[in-house]
mmCIF file of all heavy atoms in Angstrom:
data_model
loop_
_atom_site.group_PDB
_atom_site.id
_atom_site.type_symbol
_atom_site.label_atom_id
_atom_site.label_comp_id
_atom_site.label_asym_id
_atom_site.label_seq_id
_atom_site.Cartn_x
_atom_site.Cartn_y
_atom_site.Cartn_z
ATOM 1 N N GLY A 90 8.535 -2.111 -3.252
ATOM 2 C CA GLY A 90 8.622 -1.297 -4.561
ATOM 3 C C GLY A 90 9.258 -2.009 -5.671
ATOM 4 O O GLY A 90 8.858 -1.990 -6.911
ATOM 5 N N ALA A 91 10.446 -2.685 -5.373
ATOM 6 C CA ALA A 91 11.287 -3.389 -6.451
ATOM 7 C C ALA A 91 10.515 -4.503 -6.920
ATOM 8 O O ALA A 91 10.469 -4.813 -8.121
ATOM 9 C CB ALA A 91 12.571 -3.757 -5.747
ATOM 10 N N VAL A 92 9.799 -5.343 -5.959
ATOM 11 C CA VAL A 92 9.034 -6.443 -6.675
ATOM 12 C C VAL A 92 7.825 -6.068 -7.356
ATOM 13 O O VAL A 92 7.591 -6.682 -8.358
ATOM 14 C CB VAL A 92 8.596 -7.393 -5.262
ATOM 15 C CG1 VAL A 92 7.625 -8.472 -5.735
ATOM 16 C CG2 VAL A 92 9.828 -7.891 -4.448
ATOM 17 N N LEU A 93 7.138 -5.058 -6.926
ATOM 18 C CA LEU A 93 5.936 -4.634 -7.453
ATOM 19 C C LEU A 93 6.232 -4.104 -8.962
ATOM 20 O O LEU A 93 5.606 -4.628 -9.985
ATOM 21 C CB LEU A 93 5.336 -3.486 -6.742
ATOM 22 C CG LEU A 93 4.138 -2.665 -7.443
ATOM 23 C CD1 LEU A 93 2.959 -3.628 -7.523
ATOM 24 C CD2 LEU A 93 3.772 -1.523 -6.637
ATOM 25 N N LEU A 94 7.230 -3.179 -9.226
ATOM 26 C CA LEU A 94 7.454 -2.640 -10.409
ATOM 27 C C LEU A 94 8.032 -3.614 -11.386
ATOM 28 O O LEU A 94 7.642 -3.627 -12.507
ATOM 29 C CB LEU A 94 8.443 -1.396 -10.281
ATOM 30 C CG LEU A 94 8.485 -0.547 -11.616
ATOM 31 C CD1 LEU A 94 7.097 0.191 -11.703
ATOM 32 C CD2 LEU A 94 9.529 0.589 -11.296
ATOM 33 N N PHE A 95 8.924 -4.409 -10.908
ATOM 34 C CA PHE A 95 9.546 -5.422 -11.749
ATOM 35 C C PHE A 95 8.427 -6.466 -12.213
ATOM 36 O O PHE A 95 8.323 -6.681 -13.428
ATOM 37 C CB PHE A 95 10.699 -6.232 -11.023
ATOM 38 C CG PHE A 95 11.158 -7.383 -11.682
ATOM 39 C CD1 PHE A 95 11.941 -7.125 -12.854
ATOM 40 C CD2 PHE A 95 10.815 -8.644 -11.399
ATOM 41 C CE1 PHE A 95 12.576 -8.311 -13.491
ATOM 42 C CE2 PHE A 95 11.397 -9.787 -12.082
ATOM 43 C CZ PHE A 95 12.214 -9.487 -13.175
ATOM 44 N N THR A 96 7.750 -7.022 -11.253
ATOM 45 C CA THR A 96 6.695 -8.075 -11.629
ATOM 46 C C THR A 96 5.619 -7.451 -12.508
ATOM 47 O O THR A 96 5.140 -8.006 -13.514
ATOM 48 C CB THR A 96 6.108 -8.566 -10.277
ATOM 49 O OG1 THR A 96 7.095 -9.181 -9.598
ATOM 50 C CG2 THR A 96 5.131 -9.882 -10.784
ATOM 51 N N ALA A 97 4.951 -6.300 -12.065
ATOM 52 C CA ALA A 97 3.895 -5.704 -12.907
ATOM 53 C C ALA A 97 4.451 -5.271 -14.241
ATOM 54 O O ALA A 97 3.668 -5.407 -15.230
ATOM 55 C CB ALA A 97 3.322 -4.566 -12.116
ATOM 56 N N SER A 98 5.611 -4.693 -14.418
ATOM 57 C CA SER A 98 6.049 -4.344 -15.633
ATOM 58 C C SER A 98 6.186 -5.513 -16.687
ATOM 59 O O SER A 98 5.878 -5.354 -17.774
ATOM 60 C CB SER A 98 7.389 -3.586 -15.567
ATOM 61 O OG SER A 98 7.230 -2.320 -14.787
ATOM 62 N N GLU A 99 6.748 -6.584 -16.035
ATOM 63 C CA GLU A 99 6.938 -7.733 -17.012
ATOM 64 C C GLU A 99 5.615 -8.435 -17.448
ATOM 65 O O GLU A 99 5.425 -8.730 -18.590
ATOM 66 C CB GLU A 99 7.700 -8.902 -16.122
ATOM 67 C CG GLU A 99 9.107 -8.537 -16.101
ATOM 68 C CD GLU A 99 9.923 -8.217 -17.224
ATOM 69 O OE1 GLU A 99 9.849 -8.997 -18.222
ATOM 70 O OE2 GLU A 99 10.639 -7.177 -17.218
ATOM 71 N N ILE A 100 4.596 -8.454 -16.446
ATOM 72 C CA ILE A 100 3.232 -8.937 -16.905
ATOM 73 C C ILE A 100 2.640 -8.113 -17.845
ATOM 74 O O ILE A 100 2.083 -8.443 -18.808
ATOM 75 C CB ILE A 100 2.596 -9.126 -15.476
ATOM 76 C CG1 ILE A 100 2.979 -10.307 -14.667
ATOM 77 C CG2 ILE A 100 1.072 -9.569 -16.004
ATOM 78 C CD1 ILE A 100 2.378 -10.432 -13.380
ATOM 79 N N GLU A 101 2.639 -6.759 -17.454
ATOM 80 C CA GLU A 101 2.003 -5.794 -18.338
ATOM 81 C C GLU A 101 2.509 -5.736 -19.885
ATOM 82 O O GLU A 101 1.808 -5.709 -20.771
ATOM 83 C CB GLU A 101 1.954 -4.386 -17.717
ATOM 84 C CG GLU A 101 1.092 -3.307 -18.408
ATOM 85 C CD GLU A 101 1.064 -2.014 -17.620
ATOM 86 O OE1 GLU A 101 1.933 -1.832 -16.851
ATOM 87 O OE2 GLU A 101 0.197 -1.209 -17.846
ATOM 88 N N ASP A 102 3.847 -5.722 -19.819
ATOM 89 C CA ASP A 102 4.548 -5.717 -21.146
ATOM 90 C C ASP A 102 4.156 -6.914 -22.020
ATOM 91 O O ASP A 102 4.036 -6.894 -23.145
ATOM 92 C CB ASP A 102 6.027 -5.584 -20.902
ATOM 93 C CG ASP A 102 6.823 -5.209 -22.067
ATOM 94 O OD1 ASP A 102 6.319 -4.061 -22.696
ATOM 95 O OD2 ASP A 102 7.772 -5.707 -22.541
ATOM 96 N N THR A 103 4.169 -8.159 -21.271
ATOM 97 C CA THR A 103 3.809 -9.361 -22.000
ATOM 98 C C THR A 103 2.255 -9.269 -22.423
ATOM 99 O O THR A 103 2.119 -9.563 -23.627
ATOM 100 C CB THR A 103 3.987 -10.558 -20.931
ATOM 101 O OG1 THR A 103 5.284 -10.741 -20.542
ATOM 102 C CG2 THR A 103 3.517 -11.932 -21.627
ATOM 103 N N CYS A 104 1.491 -8.821 -21.720
ATOM 104 C CA CYS A 104 -0.008 -8.540 -22.052
ATOM 105 C C CYS A 104 -0.061 -7.687 -23.263
ATOM 106 O O CYS A 104 -0.763 -7.926 -24.304
ATOM 107 C CB CYS A 104 -0.759 -8.082 -20.921
ATOM 108 S SG CYS A 104 -1.140 -9.186 -19.610
ATOM 109 N N ALA A 105 0.814 -6.608 -23.308
ATOM 110 C CA ALA A 105 0.735 -5.648 -24.324
ATOM 111 C C ALA A 105 1.128 -6.217 -25.684
ATOM 112 O O ALA A 105 0.625 -6.120 -26.840
ATOM 113 C CB ALA A 105 1.638 -4.418 -24.099
ATOM 114 N N ARG A 106 2.245 -7.041 -25.640
ATOM 115 C CA ARG A 106 2.745 -7.678 -26.929
ATOM 116 C C ARG A 106 1.709 -8.743 -27.420
ATOM 117 O O ARG A 106 1.739 -9.091 -28.489
ATOM 118 C CB ARG A 106 4.152 -8.434 -26.611
ATOM 119 C CG ARG A 106 5.284 -7.472 -26.369
ATOM 120 C CD ARG A 106 6.547 -8.213 -26.496
ATOM 121 N NE ARG A 106 6.717 -9.167 -25.359
ATOM 122 C CZ ARG A 106 7.321 -8.949 -24.260
ATOM 123 N NH1 ARG A 106 7.656 -7.755 -23.897
ATOM 124 N NH2 ARG A 106 7.433 -9.872 -23.401
ATOM 125 N N MET A 107 0.916 -9.119 -26.532
ATOM 126 C CA MET A 107 -0.231 -10.071 -26.918
ATOM 127 C C MET A 107 -1.400 -9.397 -27.432
ATOM 128 O O MET A 107 -2.475 -9.964 -27.942
ATOM 129 C CB MET A 107 -0.646 -11.063 -25.821
ATOM 130 C CG MET A 107 0.560 -11.888 -25.198
ATOM 131 S SD MET A 107 0.076 -12.800 -23.748
ATOM 132 C CE MET A 107 -1.331 -13.748 -24.172
ATOM 133 N N GLY A 108 -1.392 -8.039 -27.462
ATOM 134 C CA GLY A 108 -2.466 -7.309 -27.927
ATOM 135 C C GLY A 108 -3.618 -7.090 -27.023
ATOM 136 O O GLY A 108 -4.761 -6.612 -27.414
ATOM 137 N N VAL A 109 -3.377 -7.234 -25.722
ATOM 138 C CA VAL A 109 -4.462 -7.029 -24.701
ATOM 139 C C VAL A 109 -4.689 -5.634 -24.521
ATOM 140 O O VAL A 109 -3.788 -4.682 -24.426
ATOM 141 C CB VAL A 109 -3.979 -7.808 -23.327
ATOM 142 C CG1 VAL A 109 -4.997 -7.422 -22.242
ATOM 143 C CG2 VAL A 109 -3.822 -9.152 -23.532
ATOM 144 N N HIS A 110 -5.871 -5.231 -24.344
ATOM 145 C CA HIS A 110 -6.386 -3.833 -24.055
ATOM 146 C C HIS A 110 -5.516 -3.339 -22.801
ATOM 147 O O HIS A 110 -5.409 -3.995 -21.806
ATOM 148 C CB HIS A 110 -7.849 -3.839 -23.703
ATOM 149 C CG HIS A 110 -8.361 -2.390 -23.706
ATOM 150 N ND1 HIS A 110 -8.322 -1.602 -22.536
ATOM 151 C CD2 HIS A 110 -8.983 -1.617 -24.619
ATOM 152 C CE1 HIS A 110 -8.840 -0.415 -22.809
ATOM 153 N NE2 HIS A 110 -9.317 -0.444 -24.026
ATOM 154 N N PRO A 111 -5.120 -2.043 -22.875
ATOM 155 C CA PRO A 111 -4.313 -1.376 -21.780
ATOM 156 C C PRO A 111 -5.019 -1.569 -20.433
ATOM 157 O O PRO A 111 -4.245 -1.815 -19.452
ATOM 158 C CB PRO A 111 -4.273 -0.022 -22.193
ATOM 159 C CG PRO A 111 -4.302 0.008 -23.717
ATOM 160 C CD PRO A 111 -5.257 -1.098 -23.929
ATOM 161 N N PHE A 112 -6.381 -1.448 -20.283
ATOM 162 C CA PHE A 112 -6.938 -1.732 -19.049
ATOM 163 C C PHE A 112 -6.763 -3.064 -18.377
ATOM 164 O O PHE A 112 -6.393 -3.233 -17.376
ATOM 165 C CB PHE A 112 -8.445 -1.522 -19.117
ATOM 166 C CG PHE A 112 -9.342 -1.858 -17.811
ATOM 167 C CD1 PHE A 112 -9.255 -0.991 -16.782
ATOM 168 C CD2 PHE A 112 -10.038 -2.897 -17.834
ATOM 169 C CE1 PHE A 112 -9.941 -1.404 -15.565
ATOM 170 C CE2 PHE A 112 -10.767 -3.340 -16.786
ATOM 171 C CZ PHE A 112 -10.725 -2.558 -15.667
ATOM 172 N N PHE A 113 -6.907 -4.068 -19.258
ATOM 173 C CA PHE A 113 -6.835 -5.418 -18.760
ATOM 174 C C PHE A 113 -5.265 -5.738 -18.542
ATOM 175 O O PHE A 113 -4.905 -6.613 -17.636
ATOM 176 C CB PHE A 113 -7.419 -6.445 -19.802
ATOM 177 C CG PHE A 113 -8.913 -6.331 -19.742
ATOM 178 C CD1 PHE A 113 -9.447 -5.772 -20.935
ATOM 179 C CD2 PHE A 113 -9.752 -6.672 -18.680
ATOM 180 C CE1 PHE A 113 -10.928 -5.598 -20.869
ATOM 181 C CE2 PHE A 113 -11.063 -6.477 -18.749
ATOM 182 C CZ PHE A 113 -11.659 -6.053 -19.788
ATOM 183 N N ALA A 114 -4.423 -5.127 -19.284
ATOM 184 C CA ALA A 114 -2.983 -5.324 -19.197
ATOM 185 C C ALA A 114 -2.491 -4.686 -17.861
ATOM 186 O O ALA A 114 -1.717 -5.365 -17.120
ATOM 187 C CB ALA A 114 -2.144 -4.819 -20.285
ATOM 188 N N GLY A 115 -2.989 -3.582 -17.515
ATOM 189 C CA GLY A 115 -2.699 -2.945 -16.317
ATOM 190 C C GLY A 115 -3.310 -3.650 -15.144
ATOM 191 O O GLY A 115 -2.742 -3.715 -14.070
ATOM 192 N N LEU A 116 -4.433 -4.167 -15.247
ATOM 193 C CA LEU A 116 -5.131 -4.960 -14.091
ATOM 194 C C LEU A 116 -4.393 -6.198 -13.823
ATOM 195 O O LEU A 116 -4.076 -6.469 -12.672
ATOM 196 C CB LEU A 116 -6.586 -5.281 -14.619
ATOM 197 C CG LEU A 116 -7.480 -6.124 -13.632
ATOM 198 C CD1 LEU A 116 -7.827 -5.193 -12.496
ATOM 199 C CD2 LEU A 116 -8.779 -6.502 -14.376
ATOM 200 N N ALA A 117 -3.939 -6.862 -15.002
ATOM 201 C CA ALA A 117 -3.194 -8.079 -14.782
ATOM 202 C C ALA A 117 -1.839 -7.915 -14.121
ATOM 203 O O ALA A 117 -1.413 -8.519 -13.146
ATOM 204 C CB ALA A 117 -2.971 -8.782 -16.081
ATOM 205 N N GLY A 118 -1.113 -6.734 -14.716
ATOM 206 C CA GLY A 118 0.121 -6.464 -14.082
ATOM 207 C C GLY A 118 0.113 -6.018 -12.562
ATOM 208 O O GLY A 118 0.791 -6.367 -11.770
#
Side-chain angles (χ1 to χ4, degrees):
V92 172
L93 172 68
L94 194 64
F95 174 73
T96 306
S98 294
E99 291 302 315
I100 294 173
E101 192 177 12
D102 197 51
T103 299
C104 290
R106 289 196 296 268
M107 294 170 61
V109 176
H110 188 278
F112 169 73
F113 294 107
L116 181 66

